[in-house]
Every structure is written in structure tokens, then in C-alpha cells.
Amino acid sequence: MLEPLGDLTAAQTQVALVVCAGLVALLVIAFDTTWRVARNVVTIAHEGGHALVAIMTGRTMTRIRLHSDTSGVTLSKGRPTGPGMAATAFAGYPTPPLLGLGAAALVAGGAVPTMLGLAIMVLLGTLVLIRNVFGVVSVVLTGAVVALVIAYGSVTTQYAFACFVTWFLIVGGLKTVLEMAQKRSRLQRRGAPTSDPDQVERLTGVPAGAVVALFALVGVISLILAANLLLAWPPLP
């Protein structure tokens, strides 16, 4: 059970933790120094999304690489065209906000330990596919933080951390879409861009601009639904 903070009731404590976790996530994302480090977590989710959809569509995963500039690449074997390849190319950017929305549903349903345990499982699954040292270090450090919260955090600490992760994945995912759109705009002036939306356009014929807009829409809808879940539900039992 959440412990009331000061003179706050349990319900007020829950709302305060949700709001404070969101503000901390915004601060981490807003400042370049912290974002440069924390962005690796979004990249892990992004590349994990590519990998998961590749496996689900029957492609053979070969490796994931995470780079120190917070970029990443996921390679798989299979047909170079077709629905499977298109779905794999599309999956990266929607994955962080959708994971955040899933986390919000678990937190709102009182399943914070389950949410944190699933986070460890996802990280372990990603670690198996990592093929460079920086990637291994990034995933291990991220998993270590989650493991420390599970092992030593109080119920209130775990709840606040889970809310932070929810906000961070959704808002951080939205920021990566904005960064990609800006970078893509610059590359268009120099030649053919190679972003995920441009790959989707070549595979499906759907304009890359529309794909970018769809990525942003997924993030915005995830943010609205997650806020409703975390703020509208009754206090956790």
C-alpha cells in the first residue's frame, strides 16, 4: 500500500507521485546533458521493437548494435521486401510510447512488481541479441537500475519509479520522432535520407511524411491514455 506523504491522503499521494515523476521525466528529457545519457534507454526500446516484429513476422534476427551517439541498428535476414520487412521497419518509433502505455496500464492496475519484472525480461531478451560492447554495457546498466529498485525500493519508491519510466518512454519516444523529423529534413536537402519512415515509404509507397505523422500520433495518443490511466484510477490497493 502506498504510504501517505506528510498530511496527504493515499489518493493525494498517488497523484503527487504521478505528477512529480512526470516532471522529473520532463527535466531529464529537456536538458541535453541528461538526455544524451538517458536517450539510450529509448534506443534500446526502439531497436527491441524492430527485433520483436522481425521475429514475429518470421524473419531471422542476426544482431542489434547500440552506439555511443545513442543511435542503433537492428539487422535481420529474410525477404528484402514485403509486409514483414515493412512492419519491421515501421516498428521502431512506436515501440517506446506503446511500452510506456503498457506500463501505465500495469501501474494503474496495481501490478507495479509485474511491470518491473517484465522490464527486466525485455532487457534480458534484448541483451541476447546485442553484438557490441557499448550495447551490452547500456542494457546491463539499465537492467541494474531496475533491479536495484526491485530489490531495495519501498512500495512508494517502486510506484514513483514505474511512473517515471512510463512518462519517460512516452515523452522520450515523442522527442526522438521530432529529432528524426528534423534530421530527415536536413538530409533531404543533401540527398536520399535513410530514416525508418523513408524505408517504409520505399517498401509500401506510403509517403514518409505521413509515416512520421503516424509515429507522432501514436505517441500523443499513448500520452493521453497513460495520463488518464495514472490519474483517473483510484488509489492502488
Side-chain angles (χ1 to χ4, degrees):
M1 182 175 181
L2 290 178
E3 300 176 0
L5 299 175
D7 296 328
L8 300 179
T9 65
Q12 291 170 333
T13 297
Q14 178 180 338
V15 172
L17 290 174
V18 171
V19 173
C20 288
L23 291 175
V24 172
L26 284 175
L27 289 174
V28 170
I29 293 167
F31 291 98
D32 289 341
T33 303
T34 51
W35 175 238
R36 194 176 299 116
V37 176
R39 193 186 190 282
N40 287 291
V41 177
V42 180
T43 302
I44 292 170
H46 178 113
E47 300 303 331
H50 283 310
L52 177 61
V53 173
I55 293 170
M56 290 175 63
T57 55
R59 300 181 64 79
T60 302
M61 275 301 307
T62 55
R63 63 182 180 274
I64 296 174
R65 295 178 66 88
L66 305 176
H67 304 137
S68 58
D69 63 355
T70 71
S71 65
V73 61
T74 299
L75 299 177
S76 61
K77 294 180 180 178
R79 288 183 57 194
T81 58
M85 185 62 205
T88 300
F90 180 85
Y93 283 99
T95 298
L98 289 176
L99 285 176
L101 178 57
L106 289 171
V107 172
V112 171
T114 300
M115 175 260 173
L116 297 176
L118 286 173
I120 292 291
M121 292 176 62
V122 169
L123 289 168
L124 288 174
T126 304
L127 183 62
V128 173
L129 299 171
I130 297 290
R131 293 294 182 270
N132 67 321
V133 174
F134 181 83
V136 170
V137 172
S138 295
V139 174
V140 169
L141 287 178
T142 303
V145 172
V146 179
L148 285 173
V149 172
I150 292 173
Y152 300 106
S154 64
V155 171
T156 301
T157 299
Q158 290 183 7
Y159 180 79
F161 179 77
C163 291
F164 168 80
V165 170
T166 295
W167 293 128
F168 179 78
L169 285 173
I170 297 175
V171 180
L174 275 168
K175 183 169 182 176
T176 61
V177 172
L178 176 61
E179 291 175 341
M180 175 270 296
Q182 294 172 335
K183 182 179 179 180
R184 181 177 172 275
S185 179
R186 292 194 299 269
L187 289 175
Q188 277 185 313
R189 294 193 290 269
R190 302 176 189 173
T194 58
S195 66
D196 288 0
D198 294 286
Q199 292 184 48
V200 174
E201 179 177 9
R202 287 191 288 272
L203 291 163
T204 66
V206 177
V211 178
V212 174
L214 186 54
F215 288 161
L217 181 62
V218 171
V220 171
I221 292 175
S222 296
L223 181 61
I224 293 171
L225 293 177
N228 183 67
L229 284 168
L230 293 177
L231 294 171
W233 281 52
L236 300 179

